[in-house]
Amino acid sequence: MPINYYNDRVCLNVLGGSLQNAADIYKAAEGHVEVGVLTADYETVEAAIEDMSKYMDVLEGNLSVGLGGGNPNQWRAVAEVAKEIKANHFNQAFCAVSATRANVGNDECHINAMVGPSGTPGLVKISTGPLSRECAEPALVPADTLIAIVKEMGGNSLKFFPMGGLKVKEELKAVSEACARQDFILEPTGGIDLENFEEIMHIILDAGVPKVIPHVYSSIIDKATGNTRIEDVERLLAMVKAMV
């Protein structure tokens, strides 16, 4: 099934701390959510595939296969999981989008391309891979050109990470405007919480971005249990409904 956007515009992305937590999240979000499970949490790809197949059943396919804190060293694990798990949503480093598309074997599964702020509105950093991120000179590309490249690689969206909440507001506005011009999906990620969620989303939606998948992670996780707080998911959905 395709990603279940609310009003064909916004779908939440939050982490599932357990199978039951994932099921509760899915119910609280009324299905308008991709629930993240991180490959970094498993010792082997085989273990990830076995466990993620259970999440696929509970979530009716609305699983977001994650790297783990944006760690590009997990790119191969995500790409390998894609051979067996046909999740709705895959998170991937920019450098490995094509490999993941080839491995998933279809055009329907959503694959994002992890890119980052550059310090200059309108330019986006694509050197987010395990080797390229260590280079002294980052690779910066105009946002519109970047979107064309991601489309060529089989990607469906830009995962703009790490944002640090509202620290890169002008860059977020510029990349949002590019996504609007190119009819492309944007996934804001990093430092988003219940306090800044609305402002971040208004920047993106007001720019005309057709579809948005905001990632809200650590700020709504109960540190004692490791589970995402269900009441916070309900609050996020209420804010989305008010906006779109």
Side-chain angles (χ1 to χ4, degrees):
M1 60 187 293
I3 292 176
N4 186 18
Y5 294 94
Y6 179 78
N7 272 2
D8 203 35
R9 199 82 191 274
V10 178
C11 182
L12 298 171
N13 190 305
V14 304
L15 291 177
S18 67
L19 203 59
Q20 185 59 56
N21 187 223
D24 293 340
I25 290 167
Y26 189 55
K27 181 178 179 181
E30 298 174 10
H32 303 295
V33 66
E34 294 293 319
V35 180
V37 178
L38 309 177
T39 56
D41 289 342
Y42 299 91
E43 292 186 6
T44 65
V45 169
E46 291 74 21
I49 290 171
E50 181 180 358
D51 205 32
M52 287 181 184
S53 64
K54 300 173 185 176
Y55 281 88
M56 285 286 285
D57 290 339
V58 166
L59 297 169
E60 299 180 314
N62 292 288
L63 169 69
S64 177
V65 179
L67 296 162
N71 181 1
N73 291 301
Q74 292 297 121
W75 77 262
R76 189 178 298 276
V78 171
E80 290 295 314
V81 166
K83 291 179 179 179
E84 302 295 332
I85 300 293
K86 309 307 176 184
N88 263 2
H89 188 273
F90 289 86
N91 298 271
Q92 189 53 281
F94 174 83
C95 62
V97 170
S98 291
T100 309
R101 177 60 68 198
N103 283 356
V104 79
N106 65 49
D107 293 327
E108 288 72 43
C109 294
H110 180 107
I111 303 170
N112 67 33
M114 184 176 69
V115 296
S118 67
T120 302
L123 294 179
V124 184
K125 182 170 71 173
I126 64 171
S127 47
T128 60
L131 300 178
S132 60
R133 70 171 178 169
E134 302 299 334
C135 294
E137 293 293 331
L140 310 182
V141 177
D144 289 273
T145 305
L146 165 62
I147 291 168
I149 295 171
V150 172
K151 287 179 179 179
E152 291 169 342
M153 298 193 308
N156 303 101
S157 65
L158 299 184
K159 180 177 181 178
F160 196 52
F161 170 85
M163 287 180 13
L166 286 161
K167 290 182 180 178
V168 293
K169 185 188 297 189
E170 292 307 311
E171 288 190 66
L172 175 63
K173 182 179 178 182
V175 78
S176 297
E177 291 170 349
C179 285
R181 286 192 296 270
Q182 303 301 328
D183 192 29
F184 209 57
I185 300 168
L186 182 60
E187 304 191 36
T189 315
I192 303 177
D193 56 32
L194 293 169
E195 282 67 46
N196 61 29
F197 180 78
E198 286 185 297
E199 184 174 355
I200 287 169
M201 289 298 293
H202 274 301
I203 291 171
I204 298 168
L205 294 169
D206 291 350
V209 178
K211 290 183 172 66
V212 189
I213 306 175
H215 293 233
V216 189
Y217 283 176
S218 59
S219 66
I220 61 170
I221 292 176
D222 186 307
K223 291 179 174 59
T225 65
N227 289 331
T228 290
R229 292 187 290 269
I230 301 305
E231 62 271 23
D232 288 350
V233 174
E234 293 171 341
R235 285 181 64 187
L236 288 170
L237 180 63
M239 284 188 275
V240 167
K241 286 182 175 182
M243 283 185 276
V244 299

